[in-house]
Amino acid sequence: MTHSDGLDARTLATPGPTLGVVGGGQLGRMLGEAAGPLGVELVVSDPTPDCPARSVVRDQVVGDFDDYETLRELGERADLLTFEIELADPDTLDRVAEETGTPVHPAPETLRTIQDKYVQKEALVERGIPVPAYRKVDDADDLHAAGEELGWPLMLKAREGGYDGRGNVPVEGPGDVEAAMEAIAGPAMAEEMLDFERELAVMGLRGADERDTFPVTETIHREEILRESISPARADEAIRVRAQEVADEVLDAMDGRGAFGIELFQVDPDDHDGEAILVNEIAPRPHNSGHWTIEGCLTSQFENHVRAVLGWPLGATDRRAPTANANLLGDVDENRPAELRGVDEVLRADGAALHWYCKREARPLRKLGHVTQVGSEGEDISDLLEQVRALRDATTFQPDA
């Protein structure tokens, strides 16, 4: 198999190349759905046999995200490698790329930086990108010192492995320090507790010779889990422009091609030296905050990730119309087989789309799907948000519904 770091747009043809994806969860599944119409086939690796992506891709290699033999086989079967989960091991990806000649995008070095939240913040600060105040925390003494410097309360974050609120512990005061350190159980980072106005996100794209960003999204969290996303964001034009500017600065700091989920805070500039936008975290892959782009934009984040990593021309990122998105989370008290009831309400709704992730088990607050509602040009986004919430709330994983 001949490998290339990017395919000349003048020589593109369909059927296209084979893309190897580390991770076969819902993001891998949606990448497969987007790649098929382009003539691009996917092979995914995932430790879960018959993972969610399996039914829409050519094949699955079963193995851990950091297992050398698994990634080596994936590299041998693909023209290019990418990943949909940060648990992929950058050192192993570097080794596989060198041994098989299969390029990896985004670059393993970017993944190495992103995986550690403290290292990520340091890299952003070095580039002059605005972030919340933070401190490295190795033990209880460090956390006490951070509280004295940053002020109480603050947020304690595990440096590696946290997601969907896991690995984040609010610390109200000195009396909570020991319990917080026990909860994190490892290297951590303390961050100022922001009184932000709203959370925003921008999906950025790095192609072979071009950059682009999707319209600014407002993300709505509860219990630190993303519940809904809406675009346009309910922020004034100056804020949206600044969010795009900061996203462009983040893209400049990344290495390699692909989609990048850039999570932002909108804050009071009077409290942050005149800055209204701070970077929270970056994901070097498609992101939950960009799921609305499947129906809401001319080209989805998933198709554009495929285009970008292959070095193909990027698709237009224009928003078709106001769009709202709501996650379908496990509304169960204990693990049980995943069976979603109430889908008829979603299917009857004009402009609504249901996405099922093909996970077999419903767990409390586990992401199992999402609903998107596309409105009409000029429709009030707050009204659209209420519509998608009603559709989401009409569904349940409860067996006695």
Side-chain angles (χ1 to χ4, degrees), residues 1 3 71-79 81 96 100 102:
M1 183 175 290
H3 299 289
L71 298 192
R72 173 66 189 249
E73 180 179 347
L74 193 65
E76 290 173 342
R77 297 179 61 179
D79 295 286
L81 291 176
V96 167
T100 64
T102 309

Side-chain angles (χ1 to χ4, degrees), residues 203-224:
M203 291 303 308
L205 300 168
R206 286 176 54 101
D209 301 308
E210 55 186 322
R211 307 277 183 84
D212 205 350
T213 55
F214 285 91
V216 179
T217 305
E218 181 178 344
T219 57
I220 301 162
H221 296 72
R222 292 196 304 278
E223 298 169 311
E224 298 187 65

Side-chain angles (χ1 to χ4, degrees), residues 198-201 216-220 228-235:
R198 60 177 52 85
E199 293 181 83
L200 303 172
V216 179
T217 305
E218 181 178 344
T219 57
I220 301 162
E228 299 103 13
S229 301
I230 56 175
S231 187
R234 293 172 296 187

Side-chain angles (χ1 to χ4, degrees), residues 30-109:
M30 287 182 272
L31 282 170
E33 292 167 344
L38 300 176
V40 176
E41 292 192 322
L42 264 63
V43 177
V44 301
S45 68
D46 198 280
T48 302
D50 199 18
C51 63
R54 180 64 188 89
S55 62
V56 299
V57 300
R58 183 207 290 176
D59 201 4
Q60 175 188 357
V61 181
V62 179
D64 289 340
F65 302 120
D66 59 354
D67 178 67
Y68 166 74
E69 295 298 335
T70 298
L71 298 192
R72 173 66 189 249
E73 180 179 347
L74 193 65
E76 290 173 342
R77 297 179 61 179
D79 295 286
L80 190 137
L81 291 176
T82 189
F83 45 87
E84 58 101 81
I85 189 167
E86 281 92 328
L87 296 177
D89 181 61
D91 295 333
T92 303
L93 287 171
D94 267 334
R95 179 182 174 188
V96 167
E98 182 176 353
E99 293 176 353
T100 64
T102 309
V104 181
H105 285 283
E109 183 58 35

